[in-house]
Amino acid sequence: MIKARVVVTLKNGVLDPQGKAIEGALGSLGFSGVGGVRQGKVFDLVIEHDDKAKAEADLKDMCEKLLANTVIENYTIALS
Amino acid sequence: MIKARVVVTLKNGVLDPQGKAIEGALGSLGFSGVGGVRQGKVFDLVIEHDDKAKAEADLKDMCEKLLANTVIENYTIALS
């Protein structure tokens, strides 16, 4: 069994209205000096076999097909 | 300037319908042997000073007040 974490974040230059909204909210809560807030997604998955190479390849495929919109998002895969 | 990453995930035992939906979609896309899909949020922030201890304390406060619903979510903070 392999545990995997996929982190999907917006590519640089892509506008992040959610991040901007959070930045504004943090400011109004009194947190000064906080900038560049960007929000992304994280997926924790369990791969039910022990072949790390196959898991990595499958996860890349899952990202390309479902977990990430590769036009505007980057993804990273970490196995543990 | 300090870069920070906050990862917010659901606590164990909290139902994750989104994760279940993704698990189902991965199955219908032909990815077998994938279980326990859990989705969370990741926030990348820039703290505009260099005091790591203060940044850590502020980030914890931001999580408690805004970024995480601490009733059902856990959060981790990583500074770089």
Side-chain angles (χ1 to χ4, degrees), chain B:
Chain B
M1 198 179 75
I2 299 168
K3 286 192 175 181
R5 170 162 283 185
V6 174
V7 176
V8 177
T9 51
L10 287 169
K11 290 183 177 177
N12 288 333
V14 176
L15 192 64
D16 181 5
Q18 235 167 332
K20 282 287 168 233
I22 291 165
E23 204 168 306
L26 288 172
S28 57
L29 282 171
F31 296 106
S32 59
V34 181
V37 179
R38 308 272 288 175
Q39 180 172 350
K41 297 172 284 192
V42 61
F43 301 96
D44 289 323
L45 308 99
V46 175
I47 307 290
E48 286 148 7
H49 58 70
D50 293 315
D51 180 344
K52 288 216 171 187
K54 181 174 180 336
E56 185 100 24
D58 282 352
L59 284 160
K60 194 171 181 310
D61 211 14
M62 291 178 214
C63 288
E64 297 284 333
K65 286 183 178 160
L66 182 70
L67 301 179
N69 172 353
T70 52
V71 173
I72 60 168
E73 291 174 329
N74 292 319
Y75 60 84
T76 59
I77 297 166
L79 302 181
S80 57

Side-chain angles (χ1 to χ4, degrees), chain A residues 6-26:
Chain A
V6 174
V7 177
V8 177
T9 52
L10 287 170
K11 289 183 176 176
N12 288 333
V14 175
L15 192 65
D16 181 5
Q18 236 166 331
K20 282 287 169 229
I22 291 166
E23 205 168 305
L26 288 172

Side-chain angles (χ1 to χ4, degrees), chain A residues 57-70 75, chain B residues 25-26 28-31:
Chain A
D58 282 353
L59 285 160
K60 195 171 180 309
D61 211 14
M62 291 179 215
C63 288
E64 297 283 334
K65 285 182 178 160
L66 181 70
L67 301 179
N69 172 353
T70 51
Y75 60 86
Chain B
L26 288 172
S28 57
L29 282 171
F31 296 106

Side-chain angles (χ1 to χ4, degrees), chain A residues 47-80:
Chain A
I47 307 291
E48 286 149 7
H49 58 72
D50 293 315
D51 181 343
K52 288 218 172 186
K54 181 173 179 340
E56 186 99 24
D58 282 353
L59 285 160
K60 195 171 180 309
D61 211 14
M62 291 179 215
C63 288
E64 297 283 334
K65 285 182 178 160
L66 181 70
L67 301 179
N69 172 353
T70 51
V71 174
I72 59 168
E73 291 174 330
N74 292 318
Y75 60 86
T76 59
I77 297 166
L79 302 181
S80 58

